[in-house]
Amino acid sequence: MITKAQLYDYGIEYKGRWTHEIKAICPKCSTSRKKKTEPCLSVNTENGVFVCHHCEWSGKVVEEKKMREKYIKYNKPKYNKSDVSDAMLKYFKSRGIPQEVVIKNKITEEKVYMPQVQREANTIRFNYFRDGECVNVKYRDRNKNFKQVAGAEKVFYGLDDIKEKEHVIIVEGEFDKLSFDALGLDFCVSVPDGAPNANAKNVEAKFSYLDNCYKYFENKTKIFIAVDNDANGRRLLEELSRRLGRDRVWIIDFPEDCKDANDVLVKHGQERLYECYEDARAYPIEGVFGVDSVEEMLWDSYHNGKEKGLTTGYPSLDGHYSLRAAEFDVFTGIPSHGKTSFCFQIMINSSILYGWKWGVFSPENYPINELYETLIEMYVGSTSDIDADSRMNINEYDAGMKFVNKHFFAVYPEDSFSLDNVLERFQYLVRTKGIKGVIIDPYNQLDHDYSGMSEANHVANTLNKIRRFTKANDVKFMVVAHPITMRSAAGTNTMDNEVPTAYRISGGANWYNKADNIITVHRPNPKDPRDTTSHIHVQKIKFQKLVGIPTGAPISFNYHRPSGRFYENGEYPLDDLVNKIDSDRLPY
């Protein structure tokens, strides 16, 4: 049976119930008819055969194997040995792309329906290959409209060219890749979807091709990035360099009058484009830099504003604490007061709102299925306990499992819980999954080797290493840290319920000095099991103009034990965004 997506490739849109025979609006004649919305096109969804009863347009929907058919051949003079027409070959030549590059990249030509203009158009067919097999096609018409095969695999354009190469150049478009090929630099690939919008908060879907293709970059010693000279291009540069490792990234800059590689080739020729490649500069990681090394970022900040924190999902908290990557946050509090649960809540909220993915080192939530069970319950908003009166149903459990599987990755190195070992796993997840945040929960579960140094010096060295990792990988880094043993209340044998600060964490002032943000989770009445009030004390915010102002009075939440959620004013603000398939509770 064919799909709606396959129909859409033929310009046929259908939103009704899917049956053996359907009727749709004909993309060929309906726009010119008086009854524009009358469905006159019959489609057999079993075999894909369609016919219009008005204009008699007919055909058959071909499934995804269509892209693997032999390429279209044209009657052309002998000097044109490519699989495009003379007119198309002339167009490539006007863009500085010689015939041999067109042939090498197996570019073809095809007349297809383009939804942007609602008609068939002659297009360049950029064929995407992985291991010699065409797995995707991007069509481009003369008006710079694009479309790809629905449901096809997202990979870099030119992926097979870099399999055995030590270096790689990454560009933003197919013509830029062809431009470097024209110089003989045949180790270039293009991203399939261009650059993300500079102001977009959720860009995870834009980078699925990195997950699909990461193994092709593992052996590269140098990764050159040559993206468009605009705000969107800079956003692409930042994410590619973060995922692929900034220690091996080199940036190719273009002249001020050129926005991309093909622009340089057309305006200034091959020699100038090659000079841009030779003049590539290393990505600035650490050390001393002048204004020129971050000039583009400074202008971007001036024109578009500084990067402010993103909402946590809780309006009452946002004025005091918001989410910014590349920051190191410490969460502390008396044991069993909800530090871990509140961190998990903020992590889940970020995944719902922005698609953030997380690496989780939480040995106290071992075995791993216990960790995932906790996250599933918090996402769905109900318990999975088989004995509960109001238990989530099987569809909700499945939806929760899929959400957690996409956004959370447990780290549990069995050989050693050293910080280096944990960071090595986090680094792997940055590069292969694009995680945007990590958590160590709790700090005292790490293996600590003092090697003759004082505890204070060891803590300082450890936190410095965490800060370097945070900045280099542009991640939100959360650490849950227990305070030292609580003091006895005066004249009693019971522990006090004083709100602890970072100074009471083992290692003292280092925690307060090194962290960007410090939050204490505290239960004001822990002896009453019916009182689920939880207070959030925001004790330190380093960048207050961008992230928030520390609290005076605490922010009050209610902890919902069955789900593990935190409620604000009796509600969970993101409930409408949670993808529940069926909200009915079933007693099984």
Side-chain angles (χ1 to χ4, degrees):
M1 179 177 284
I2 62 171
T3 66
K4 291 182 181 180
Q6 289 163 345
L7 274 185
Y8 188 78
D9 280 342
Y10 288 76
I12 304 170
E13 295 189 54
Y14 182 76
K15 299 180 180 179
R17 191 165 64 91
W18 201 247
T19 60
H20 176 72
E21 289 279 352
I22 63 173
K23 280 200 168 185
I25 295 172
C26 176
K28 298 292 185 182
C29 67
S30 292
T31 56
S32 60
R33 297 179 60 194
K34 289 184 179 180
K35 298 181 179 180
K36 299 182 186 299
T37 59
E38 181 182 357
C40 53
L41 184 76
S42 295
V43 183
N44 185 310
T45 59
E46 294 291 336
N47 57 28
V49 173
F50 59 85
V51 61
C52 177
H53 302 293
H54 181 260
C55 68
E56 300 184 350
W57 177 54
S58 63
K60 181 176 181 179
V61 175
V62 182
E63 298 183 16
E64 288 181 13
K65 64 183 181 181
K66 171 187 177 184
M67 69 178 97
R68 297 181 175 86
E69 293 174 350
K70 67 180 182 178
Y71 307 119
I72 300 169
K73 303 291 182 181
Y74 292 88
N75 294 321
K76 50 189 177 295
K78 292 183 179 180
Y79 68 83
N80 184 352
K81 298 180 181 179
S82 72
D83 288 326
V84 300
S85 64
D86 289 348
M88 188 69 77
L89 195 63
K90 184 178 180 181
Y91 174 71
F92 276 104
K93 187 176 180 180
S94 73
R95 299 285 297 266
I97 310 303
Q99 180 177 174
E100 53 266 28
V101 172
V102 175
I103 295 171
K104 169 186 174 291
N105 287 276
K106 300 178 182 177
I107 297 170
T108 53
E109 186 175 354
E110 186 175 352
K111 196 170 187 179
V112 296
Y113 179 84
M114 297 297 287
Q116 297 92 334
V117 295
Q118 297 186 339
R119 58 178 173 79
E120 282 194 345
N122 197 49
T123 64
I124 301 171
R125 175 173 160 147
F126 293 108
N127 300 294
Y128 283 62
F129 292 90
R130 182 202 281 272
D131 297 326
E133 180 183 19
C134 185
V135 297
N136 198 354
V137 175
K138 182 186 285 189
Y139 301 95
R140 180 192 189 276
D141 68 15
R142 66 172 61 191
N143 297 315
K144 296 184 179 180
N145 295 313
F146 294 92
K147 81 166 187 177
Q148 296 186 47
V149 174
E153 183 180 6
K154 290 293 180 70
V155 297
F156 284 90
Y157 180 63
L159 189 63
D160 283 354
D161 290 351
I162 66 170
K163 288 172 65 174
E164 307 298 329
K165 304 295 173 57
E166 184 180 0
H167 298 166
V168 60
I169 302 171
I170 302 177
V171 295
E172 195 174 323
E174 290 83 5
F175 270 100
D176 299 320
K177 181 261 193 294
L178 302 177
S179 298
F180 280 107
D181 278 4
L183 306 184
L185 301 174
D186 60 349
F187 45 90
C188 183
V189 294
S190 169
V191 300
D193 289 331
N197 187 287
N199 299 316
K201 292 181 173 63
N202 187 348
V203 297
E204 291 302 314
K206 267 282 191 181
F207 292 96
S208 61
Y209 55 85
L210 278 173
D211 296 347
N212 297 336
C213 303
Y214 181 75
K215 68 177 184 179
Y216 290 84
F217 295 87
E218 289 181 311
N219 67 332
K220 301 297 182 279
T221 58
K222 277 189 176 183
I223 298 174
F224 297 88
I225 299 181
V227 292
D228 288 6
N229 188 17
D230 56 23
N232 292 357
R234 287 191 290 277
R235 180 79 181 272
L236 178 60
L237 166 65
E238 291 304 305
E239 185 63 14
L240 288 174
S241 62
R242 185 182 81 86
R243 293 282 302 269
L244 297 172
R246 288 169 176 164
D247 56 322
R248 52 182 181 159
V249 165
W250 292 71
I251 301 170
I252 296 177
D253 296 311
F254 302 125
E256 289 186 4
D257 63 335
C258 299
K259 71 180 186 68
D260 56 33
N262 189 247
D263 208 16
V264 178
L265 183 63
V266 172
K267 290 180 178 178
H268 302 289
Q270 292 187 356
E271 185 175 347
R272 184 67 183 93
L273 181 57
Y274 198 89
E275 287 176 359
C276 294
Y277 164 73
E278 286 190 319
D279 293 339
R281 55 189 171 91
Y283 190 98
I285 298 178
E286 57 186 359
V288 179
F289 304 100
V291 168
D292 57 341
S293 64
V294 292
E295 183 177 358
E296 290 180 354
M297 297 178 188
L298 289 173
W299 281 117
D300 185 54
S301 175
Y302 176 80
H303 290 299
N304 301 307
K306 295 180 180 179
E307 180 189 357
K308 295 184 178 180
L310 302 171
T311 176
T312 61
Y314 292 115
S316 62
L317 181 60
D318 287 339
H320 305 283
Y321 170 73
S322 54
L323 297 175
R324 280 214 320 168
E327 291 192 344
F328 165 37
D329 299 353
V330 173
F331 288 77
T332 190
I334 297 171
S336 301
H337 276 222
K339 301 182 296 296
T340 296
S341 295
F342 192 72
C343 285
F344 285 174
Q345 183 73 81
I346 296 298
M347 292 158 64
I348 280 183
N349 289 3
S350 74
S351 298
I352 293 170
L353 289 166
Y354 317 117
W356 280 18
K357 298 177 183 178
W358 291 84
V360 182
F361 173 71
S362 186
E364 292 184 350
N365 282 285
Y366 190 84
I368 300 301
N369 60 292
E370 296 289 344
L371 167 66
Y372 288 137
E373 194 90 43
T374 298
L375 294 169
I376 290 170
E377 290 180 337
M378 190 174 283
Y379 172 73
V380 173
S382 182
T383 182
S384 60
D385 186 352
I386 198 168
D387 297 320
D389 292 333
S390 181
R391 185 191 186 202
M392 71 176 73
N393 65 47
I394 193 170
N395 291 332
E396 291 176 317
Y397 192 79
D398 181 63
M401 192 184 303
K402 289 175 179 175
F403 175 85
V404 171
N405 179 61
K406 182 178 180 180
H407 296 98
F408 293 88
F409 304 91
V411 167
Y412 193 87
E414 296 185 359
D415 52 337
S416 166
F417 282 179
S418 71
L419 178 63
D420 287 343
N421 233 2
V422 172
L423 293 183
E424 183 181 334
R425 269 68 174 182
F426 285 160
Q427 182 74 75
Y428 170 79
L429 289 172
V430 169
R431 295 186 175 180
T432 60
K433 301 298 182 182
I435 61 171
K436 197 64 177 175
V438 301
I439 185 171
I440 290 178
D441 168 42
Y443 172 81
N444 64 4
Q445 284 289 333
L446 292 171
D447 291 340
H448 296 286
D449 181 9
Y450 292 91
S451 299
M453 70 178 69
S454 68
E455 182 179 23
N457 286 340
H458 171 74
V459 170
N461 290 341
T462 301
L463 299 187
N464 282 336
K465 191 174 291 186
I466 286 174
R467 283 185 61 82
R468 285 194 295 270
F469 183 93
T470 300
K471 303 300 181 184
N473 293 279
D474 196 26
V475 294
K476 167 67 74 181
F477 204 125
M478 294 181 172
V479 174
V480 176
H482 297 311
I484 55 178
T485 304
M486 305 305 294
R487 295 187 289 267
S488 297
T492 71
N493 292 322
T494 60
M495 297 297 109
D496 68 24
N497 195 39
E498 178 185 336
V499 178
T501 69
Y503 288 105
R504 291 183 68 173
I505 303 171
S506 182
N510 280 305
W511 289 94
Y512 193 88
N513 295 334
K514 303 290 185 183
D516 292 305
N517 310 302
I518 299 174
I519 293 93
T520 299
V521 181
H522 187 72
R523 290 180 59 199
N525 192 14
K527 294 182 180 180
D528 184 354
R530 296 168 299 178
D531 189 347
T532 62
T533 303
S534 297
H535 283 173
I536 305 302
H537 300 259
V538 181
Q539 298 192 345
K540 177 189 176 182
I541 298 292
K542 184 174 182 179
F543 300 103
Q544 295 187 11
K545 291 182 179 180
L546 305 175
V547 177
I549 305 297
T551 52
I555 304 166
S556 185
F557 291 87
N558 286 106
Y559 178 67
H560 182 243
R561 286 195 180 93
S563 66
R565 277 183 177 178
F566 286 80
Y567 283 79
E568 178 186 57
N569 300 319
E571 297 181 348
Y572 176 56
L574 304 185
D575 240 339
D576 291 342
L577 298 179
V578 175
N579 184 26
K580 291 182 181 178
I581 296 176
D582 182 358
S583 61
D584 295 331
R585 306 294 182 209
L586 298 180
Y588 58 82

